[in-house]
Amino acid sequence: MTENWNLFGHEWAVDMLRQHVANQAMRHAYLITGSPGLGRRSLALAFARSLTCSAPPAPGEYCGECRNCRQMSSMQHPDLTIIQSETEGGMLKVEQIRELRKSVLLAPYQAPYRIVLLLRFQEANASAANALLKTLEEAPTKVILLLTADNAEQLLPTIVSRCEVIRLRPLSISRVDEFLRIKGTEESKAKLIASLSAGRPGYALRLLEDDSALEFRREKLDEVEELLSASRVTRFAYAEQLAKDKETFRATLLLWLSLWRDVMLQTADETNAVTNIDRRDLIEKLANKLSMSEAKRQLSAAENGIGQLKRNVNARLLAENMLLNFPKF
């Protein structure tokens, strides 16, 4: 039997969904919300396995070994449809939902249900959201739709009202730290990754398994420190380089966001909540130089920059404006 569906954390959500399957009381649509890296997709796929397992060891469980389980796990099942924007932070388009509306009319090919997984649905444009609403209203009985999003407030209230909403919350840092150490992670690395994860086990695993992600973070935060004392010419040259790749630009802005958040926390003497614990010297330096309102302005600039990139503004102009307003020491 798969204890907690082989997931780390969110036991209450697993228990609820397990009972839905065991009692054959499934809703036709579920919305799983929470920060990226919290385990939204993992929970949805585990739920899909419990719905389609051909040899469940107990009601609401899945064996993990049958054909349906293996194919759902690898996201290669003929009755699984996955819909998402092309890139994280991109836009999910109405054409994708229109194609979905055709496929949900088909009977399941192999499993008891046809599962539709709509990832990061906050990235759907208005037309796509309205098109999904029609699907939710008219979904056949053998179709179960699983949506993920950062939070329910980003979606149309009429979509949210037609879903069973599961709001995932971050785990404690200590619990993620313990989880990483059980996996054999060295103590100082486990402590750093657990802190950077902000209680998101999926993101912690991503950092653990992908050394390039930690290296990218180190490189970009080193560059921030250099930019603080750089000339305008150097900053503009950096902006030109940064704007060449929007995915890299967006990932860099997310790191800036975490840094300015930590500076605000440091300014407010909330030092225990700082996530970039290996950059305390830089954070303290910035907090000593900047007022709370100045730190908040930098945080807002990073947040707005992420939104502007999504709206396809001129990336170079955006980068230049942001770096022009960077603190200078």
Side-chain angles (χ1 to χ4, degrees):
M1 190 178 293
T2 50
E3 185 180 350
N4 202 48
W5 284 353
N6 285 335
L7 299 177
F8 178 68
H10 314 308
E11 289 84 358
W12 66 270
V14 172
D15 286 344
M16 185 189 82
L17 292 172
R18 184 191 285 120
Q19 288 303 314
H20 283 198
V21 180
N23 298 327
Q24 287 295 290
M26 291 82 69
R27 316 300 188 252
H28 74 287
Y30 292 81
L31 169 61
I32 304 172
T33 67
S35 305
L38 201 50
R40 303 173 306 194
R41 187 180 69 172
S42 296
L43 177 62
L45 286 170
F47 184 35
R49 288 198 288 277
S50 75
L51 286 164
T52 58
C53 178
S54 57
E61 294 291 345
Y62 64 85
C63 69
E65 298 172 2
C66 70
R67 185 183 180 193
N68 282 335
C69 282
R70 293 197 312 272
Q71 290 179 329
M72 280 292 175
S73 182
S74 64
M75 296 189 289
Q76 299 294 325
H77 198 288
D79 292 318
L80 174 67
T81 301
I82 299 174
I83 296 176
Q84 60 185 324
S85 59
E86 289 183 7
T87 58
E88 192 170 343
M91 185 175 289
L92 195 153
K93 300 172 184 174
V94 66
E95 292 80 12
Q96 295 171 270
I97 304 300
R98 286 175 181 155
E99 285 299 312
L100 162 66
R101 292 184 65 189
K102 295 176 189 175
S103 67
V104 296
L105 296 174
L106 303 172
Y109 173 74
Q110 177 180 306
Y113 300 96
R114 185 174 287 277
I115 310 291
V116 180
L117 183 54
L118 297 120
L119 299 172
R120 306 190 307 273
F121 199 72
Q122 76 275 0
E123 296 175 351
N125 63 24
S127 298
N130 282 313
L132 181 70
L133 188 56
K134 283 186 96 55
T135 305
L136 285 169
E137 291 168 345
E138 303 163 3
T141 54
K142 291 295 184 181
V143 173
I144 294 179
L145 294 100
L146 307 176
L147 289 73
T148 73
D150 292 351
N151 60 70
E153 290 67 36
Q154 294 169 300
L155 309 187
L156 291 175
T158 43
I159 287 179
V160 177
S161 67
R162 286 166 171 78
C163 297
E164 176 86 22
V165 182
I166 300 171
R167 301 177 190 270
L168 300 185
R169 296 286 181 263
L171 309 181
S172 68
I173 302 301
S174 60
R175 195 170 175 205
V176 177
D177 185 4
E178 179 187 4
F179 169 64
L180 293 171
R181 293 193 199 197
I182 289 171
K183 284 189 161 292
T185 311
E186 185 265 325
E187 183 177 338
S188 61
K189 188 175 184 179
K191 184 178 180 182
L192 173 62
I193 290 177
S195 182
L196 292 176
S197 77
R200 297 171 292 165
Y203 184 56
L205 281 176
R206 204 177 310 156
L207 291 175
L208 181 64
E209 294 165 0
D210 183 7
D211 286 336
S212 66
L214 283 176
E215 178 58 27
F216 177 83
R217 171 185 170 274
R218 184 198 62 74
E219 178 185 302
K220 293 304 172 188
L221 291 181
D222 284 349
E223 290 169 357
V224 167
E225 199 151 9
E226 292 166 7
L227 287 165
L228 292 172
S229 58
S231 67
R232 181 177 294 192
V233 171
T234 300
R235 290 185 180 196
F236 275 21
Y238 184 84
E240 180 182 5
Q241 195 65 32
L242 188 61
K244 288 180 178 177
D245 184 332
K246 283 193 177 181
E247 280 300 299
T248 301
F249 192 178
R250 181 177 180 277
T252 301
L253 288 179
L254 287 169
L255 288 173
W256 290 1
L257 194 67
S258 75
L259 177 66
W260 293 122
R261 174 188 170 276
D262 281 349
V263 173
M264 280 187 62
L265 289 168
Q266 183 76 31
T267 306
D269 288 326
E270 298 285 345
T271 54
N272 289 337
V274 166
T275 57
N276 292 284
I277 56 175
D278 59 334
R279 298 288 173 148
R280 285 196 183 274
D281 288 348
L282 172 60
I283 291 162
E284 288 173 6
K285 175 183 172 183
L286 287 164
N288 289 334
K289 294 279 188 179
L290 301 178
S291 66
M292 174 68 80
S293 62
E294 288 169 330
K296 188 175 182 180
R297 186 162 60 248
Q298 294 296 333
L299 179 73
S300 296
E303 284 179 331
N304 293 335
I306 293 167
Q308 288 174 294
L309 268 186
K310 186 175 180 180
R311 293 192 294 274
N312 289 319
V313 301
N314 184 306
R316 181 171 175 178
L317 188 60
L318 173 63
E320 287 178 353
N321 284 336
M322 292 187 72
L323 286 164
L324 195 60
N325 291 307
F326 243 43
K328 185 166 178 61
F329 299 154

